[in-house]
Amino acid sequence: MTQPGFAFSTVFRVRYAEIDGQKVVFNSRYLEYADVAVTEFWEWTGIGEAIGADWTEAEFHVRRTEVDYLKPFLWGDRIEASVRIERIGNSSITKRFALAHAETGTLHCEIVMTSVHVDLATSRPAPLPDTVRAFLEPLAAR
């Protein structure tokens, strides 16, 4: 039951270590959920196999993240994490995450995250390789 406007989602369960004394997920865990989801998203796209080193050796740093907590997840809830590319910049990729209850479809959290491609030697932004841009543009259109 992928959220409307998303072509990809993955499902996982809230674990005991992710909750507080009231059995509510700690707020910082939502960013970990986004990390799990985007890892699965990149695997789903096949970008590593398709373009090789331009992707597998690329380095990205998170530049900005907005988290909108709409409703807490509880211990044992199954989360459906949907991911899509919102925008491709000169050196950045902005992704949107929708974290919903897997059984009810109720949206619990929205995250918008911008990551910047960097040159590790200088710690400065670097343009996205043309191969990466060409691969991602059709994904951003979905």
Side-chain angles (χ1 to χ4, degrees), residues 89-140:
N90 182 48
S91 62
S92 65
I93 304 169
T94 300
K95 301 160 299 289
R96 179 174 291 273
F97 302 84
L99 304 180
H101 194 284
E103 279 80 33
T104 67
T106 302
L107 186 61
H108 284 233
C109 181
E110 289 184 298
I111 300 170
V112 177
M113 180 182 294
T114 300
S115 300
V116 176
H117 180 243
V118 296
D119 176 338
L120 287 181
T122 64
S123 296
R124 300 291 306 152
L128 292 171
D130 291 339
T131 55
V132 171
R133 179 177 303 287
F135 189 92
L136 296 180
E137 284 174 345
L139 293 172

XYZ file of all heavy atoms in Angstrom, residues 89-140:
388
model
N 19.456 18.843 -7.929
C 20.138 20.117 -8.128
C 21.463 19.916 -8.838
O 21.753 18.833 -9.344
N 22.281 20.945 -8.852
C 23.604 20.843 -9.466
C 24.474 19.829 -8.730
O 25.132 18.992 -9.344
C 24.284 22.222 -9.480
C 25.641 22.162 -10.145
O 25.793 21.610 -11.227
N 26.637 22.725 -9.480
N 24.454 19.909 -7.412
C 25.257 18.988 -6.605
C 24.422 18.263 -5.552
O 24.968 17.532 -4.728
C 26.394 19.754 -5.909
O 25.850 20.715 -5.027
N 23.106 18.440 -5.580
C 22.273 17.901 -4.501
C 21.125 17.038 -5.024
O 20.715 17.146 -6.177
C 21.705 19.040 -3.660
O 20.825 19.820 -4.439
N 20.644 16.208 -4.112
C 19.455 15.393 -4.347
C 18.540 15.600 -3.148
O 18.968 15.438 -1.998
C 19.803 13.895 -4.456
C 20.837 13.640 -5.552
C 18.538 13.068 -4.703
C 21.408 12.229 -5.523
N 17.288 15.973 -3.404
C 16.303 16.109 -2.337
C 15.329 14.944 -2.430
O 14.766 14.691 -3.491
C 15.561 17.450 -2.429
O 16.516 18.512 -2.323
C 14.525 17.589 -1.325
N 15.166 14.256 -1.297
C 14.291 13.098 -1.227
C 13.151 13.377 -0.265
O 13.328 14.102 0.713
C 15.072 11.860 -0.768
C 16.230 11.527 -1.696
C 17.275 10.659 -1.054
C 17.965 11.217 0.132
N 18.904 12.307 -0.047
N 11.990 12.784 -0.533
C 10.836 12.862 0.363
C 10.538 11.462 0.866
O 10.560 10.507 0.101
C 9.614 13.442 -0.324
C 8.390 13.498 0.604
C 7.221 14.207 -0.044
N 7.487 15.620 -0.201
C 7.253 16.546 0.733
N 6.752 16.205 1.902
N 7.531 17.816 0.487
N 10.257 11.380 2.163
C 9.911 10.128 2.816
C 8.527 10.275 3.432
O 8.233 11.296 4.054
C 10.899 9.808 3.945
C 12.323 9.719 3.497
C 13.103 10.862 3.370
C 12.885 8.495 3.200
C 14.423 10.784 2.962
C 14.205 8.403 2.788
C 14.980 9.546 2.664
N 7.711 9.260 3.268
C 6.414 9.194 3.935
C 6.435 7.939 4.789
O 6.596 6.825 4.269
C 5.281 9.130 2.916
N 6.326 8.111 6.101
C 6.307 6.977 7.020
C 4.870 6.781 7.482
O 4.309 7.621 8.182
C 7.228 7.229 8.210
C 8.690 7.558 7.877
C 9.488 7.788 9.158
C 9.331 6.486 7.032
N 4.291 5.662 7.064
C 2.887 5.388 7.347
C 2.740 4.067 8.085
O 3.614 3.193 8.017
C 2.089 5.346 6.041
N 1.625 3.920 8.771
C 1.315 2.646 9.415
C 1.002 1.649 8.308
O 0.155 1.900 7.448
C 0.121 2.817 10.356
C -0.060 1.676 11.284
N -0.595 0.471 10.872
C 0.244 1.546 12.594
C -0.631 -0.345 11.906
N -0.118 0.282 12.961
N 1.708 0.524 8.298
C 1.597 -0.436 7.192
C 0.208 -1.061 7.085
O -0.225 -1.396 5.983
C 2.651 -1.530 7.330
N -0.497 -1.211 8.193
C -1.826 -1.833 8.136
C -2.932 -0.831 7.816
O -3.830 -1.131 7.042
C -2.152 -2.552 9.458
C -1.527 -3.929 9.570
C -0.064 -3.875 9.968
O 0.320 -2.961 10.730
O 0.697 -4.743 9.500
N -2.860 0.363 8.397
C -3.960 1.328 8.230
C -3.713 2.330 7.114
O -4.641 2.962 6.635
C -4.197 2.122 9.530
O -3.065 2.960 9.774
C -4.450 1.190 10.716
N -2.443 2.506 6.747
C -2.094 3.516 5.747
C -2.026 4.921 6.303
O -1.723 5.873 5.580
N -2.277 5.096 7.604
C -2.245 6.415 8.228
C -0.827 6.979 8.195
O 0.121 6.321 8.631
C -2.731 6.345 9.692
O -4.046 5.800 9.709
C -2.716 7.715 10.350
N -0.697 8.190 7.678
C 0.601 8.848 7.603
C 1.001 9.336 8.993
O 0.260 10.068 9.641
C 0.526 10.018 6.615
C 1.826 10.733 6.310
C 2.840 9.785 5.673
C 1.554 11.914 5.388
N 2.181 8.923 9.454
C 2.667 9.300 10.778
C 3.761 10.356 10.730
O 3.923 11.120 11.677
C 3.217 8.067 11.511
C 2.160 7.161 12.034
N 2.114 6.750 13.346
C 1.106 6.571 11.440
C 1.084 5.956 13.535
N 0.459 5.816 12.378
N 4.533 10.382 9.631
C 5.661 11.298 9.579
C 6.046 11.567 8.132
O 6.015 10.652 7.303
C 6.851 10.680 10.320
S 8.325 11.712 10.384
N 6.405 12.817 7.846
C 6.946 13.183 6.539
C 8.328 13.790 6.757
O 8.518 14.590 7.678
C 6.050 14.191 5.830
C 4.740 13.599 5.362
C 3.919 14.600 4.584
O 3.553 15.623 5.175
O 3.683 14.345 3.393
N 9.259 13.388 5.903
C 10.630 13.882 6.002
C 11.070 14.345 4.626
O 10.846 13.645 3.634
C 11.589 12.771 6.502
C 11.159 12.286 7.890
C 13.041 13.260 6.505
C 11.882 11.039 8.367
N 11.695 15.521 4.563
C 12.319 16.008 3.335
C 13.800 16.193 3.657
O 14.144 16.900 4.602
C 11.683 17.326 2.848
C 12.399 17.837 1.602
C 10.192 17.137 2.584
N 14.648 15.529 2.872
C 16.086 15.523 3.156
C 16.867 15.874 1.898
O 16.652 15.269 0.848
C 16.509 14.143 3.649
C 17.967 14.013 3.985
S 18.403 12.326 4.519
C 17.477 12.213 6.047
N 17.762 16.835 2.030
C 18.642 17.207 0.928
C 20.060 16.757 1.264
O 20.588 17.087 2.328
C 18.614 18.730 0.686
O 17.270 19.110 0.369
C 19.540 19.120 -0.455
N 20.635 15.992 0.336
C 22.010 15.523 0.469
C 22.836 16.146 -0.648
O 22.364 16.282 -1.778
C 22.068 13.997 0.356
O 21.289 13.401 1.366
N 24.068 16.519 -0.319
C 24.953 17.185 -1.273
C 26.115 16.263 -1.625
O 26.758 15.689 -0.739
C 25.472 18.521 -0.699
C 26.471 19.174 -1.644
C 24.308 19.462 -0.415
N 26.364 16.130 -2.918
C 27.516 15.388 -3.418
C 28.762 16.208 -3.092
O 28.799 17.406 -3.386
C 27.370 15.190 -4.928
C 28.478 14.444 -5.558
N 29.293 15.000 -6.504
C 28.936 13.191 -5.369
C 30.180 14.117 -6.892
N 29.984 13.012 -6.213
N 29.750 15.579 -2.451
C 30.932 16.326 -2.011
C 32.218 15.693 -2.517
O 32.299 14.484 -2.751
C 31.005 16.437 -0.471
C 29.846 17.226 0.084
C 31.096 15.076 0.174
N 33.211 16.534 -2.663
C 34.580 16.115 -2.924
C 35.222 15.966 -1.548
O 35.372 16.957 -0.820
C 35.286 17.186 -3.758
C 36.753 16.888 -4.011
O 37.362 16.112 -3.238
O 37.294 17.437 -4.977
N 35.568 14.760 -1.162
C 36.101 14.533 0.180
C 37.426 15.237 0.420
O 37.719 15.627 1.548
C 36.243 13.039 0.453
C 34.935 12.295 0.684
C 35.223 10.828 0.971
C 34.150 12.912 1.827
N 38.229 15.415 -0.614
C 39.531 16.077 -0.457
C 39.371 17.527 -0.036
O 40.176 18.050 0.731
C 40.339 15.981 -1.750
N 38.323 18.194 -0.527
C 38.127 19.612 -0.224
C 36.968 19.865 0.736
O 36.807 20.976 1.228
C 37.856 20.404 -1.517
O 36.622 19.947 -2.082
C 38.982 20.246 -2.513
N 36.138 18.846 0.962
C 34.908 18.984 1.763
C 33.955 20.014 1.169
O 33.174 20.638 1.885
C 35.223 19.336 3.220
O 35.938 18.280 3.820
N 34.027 20.192 -0.133
C 33.180 21.172 -0.829
C 32.194 20.439 -1.741
O 32.483 19.331 -2.219
C 34.035 22.110 -1.680
C 35.072 22.919 -0.908
C 34.514 23.976 -0.009
N 33.625 24.865 -0.756
C 32.603 25.520 -0.240
N 32.334 25.420 1.034
N 31.860 26.298 -0.984
N 31.047 21.069 -2.009
C 30.098 20.467 -2.949
C 30.743 20.249 -4.319
O 31.589 21.043 -4.750
C 28.984 21.516 -3.049
C 29.075 22.283 -1.776
C 30.542 22.318 -1.435
N 30.341 19.162 -4.954
C 30.838 18.828 -6.296
C 29.637 18.512 -7.189
O 28.675 17.913 -6.724
C 31.772 17.630 -6.227
N 29.669 18.923 -8.439
C 28.554 18.618 -9.335
C 28.287 17.117 -9.408
O 29.219 16.307 -9.341
C 29.015 19.150 -10.691
C 30.075 20.147 -10.377
C 30.744 19.655 -9.114
N 27.016 16.768 -9.540
C 26.667 15.364 -9.742
C 27.252 14.894 -11.069
O 27.164 15.623 -12.064
C 25.143 15.194 -9.785
C 24.379 15.437 -8.496
C 22.881 15.439 -8.778
C 24.728 14.392 -7.455
N 27.816 13.696 -11.106
C 28.276 13.174 -12.398
C 27.102 13.073 -13.381
O 25.962 12.799 -12.981
C 28.821 11.787 -12.049
C 29.167 11.868 -10.597
C 28.150 12.796 -10.003
N 27.388 13.296 -14.652
C 26.338 13.236 -15.678
C 25.624 11.895 -15.686
O 24.415 11.831 -15.907
C 26.923 13.522 -17.065
C 27.374 14.969 -17.215
O 26.891 15.835 -16.447
O 28.213 15.232 -18.101
N 26.358 10.812 -15.426
C 25.732 9.483 -15.407
C 24.717 9.362 -14.272
O 23.655 8.756 -14.439
C 26.792 8.380 -15.262
O 27.577 8.660 -14.097
C 27.673 8.284 -16.490
N 25.030 9.934 -13.126
C 24.118 9.913 -11.977
C 22.876 10.733 -12.311
O 21.743 10.285 -12.118
C 24.803 10.446 -10.703
C 23.805 10.632 -9.574
C 25.938 9.512 -10.287
N 23.074 11.921 -12.820
C 21.952 12.789 -13.182
C 21.040 12.100 -14.203
O 19.818 12.080 -14.053
C 22.461 14.116 -13.731
C 21.363 15.081 -14.148
C 21.930 16.396 -14.620
N 22.761 17.018 -13.604
C 22.302 17.596 -12.495
N 21.018 17.665 -12.271
N 23.137 18.133 -11.629
N 21.627 11.514 -15.237
C 20.834 10.856 -16.281
C 20.034 9.682 -15.711
O 18.892 9.450 -16.125
C 21.737 10.382 -17.412
N 20.611 8.963 -14.758
C 19.903 7.841 -14.153
C 18.768 8.321 -13.247
O 17.686 7.741 -13.236
C 20.870 6.967 -13.342
C 20.251 5.689 -12.867
C 20.346 4.542 -13.635
C 19.565 5.634 -11.663
C 19.761 3.353 -13.210
C 18.977 4.463 -11.227
C 19.074 3.312 -12.000
N 19.014 9.395 -12.489
C 18.035 9.863 -11.500
C 16.875 10.648 -12.092
O 15.772 10.625 -11.535
C 18.727 10.708 -10.432
C 19.753 10.004 -9.553
C 20.347 10.969 -8.562
C 19.138 8.818 -8.842
N 17.099 11.376 -13.182
C 16.037 12.226 -13.730
C 14.740 11.484 -14.013
O 13.671 11.970 -13.633
C 16.539 12.994 -14.949
C 17.431 14.153 -14.517
C 18.095 14.897 -15.675
O 18.104 14.375 -16.814
O 18.613 16.003 -15.401
N 14.754 10.303 -14.615
C 13.480 9.599 -14.821
C 12.823 9.178 -13.492
O 11.598 9.120 -13.401
C 13.871 8.360 -15.636
C 15.180 8.670 -16.237
C 15.858 9.632 -15.303
N 13.629 8.911 -12.455
C 13.077 8.564 -11.158
C 12.374 9.751 -10.509
O 11.370 9.599 -9.818
C 14.168 8.047 -10.226
C 14.799 6.719 -10.598
C 15.998 6.431 -9.702
C 13.783 5.594 -10.503
N 12.919 10.939 -10.725
C 12.321 12.148 -10.149
C 10.998 12.473 -10.817
O 10.146 13.127 -10.220
C 13.280 13.324 -10.283
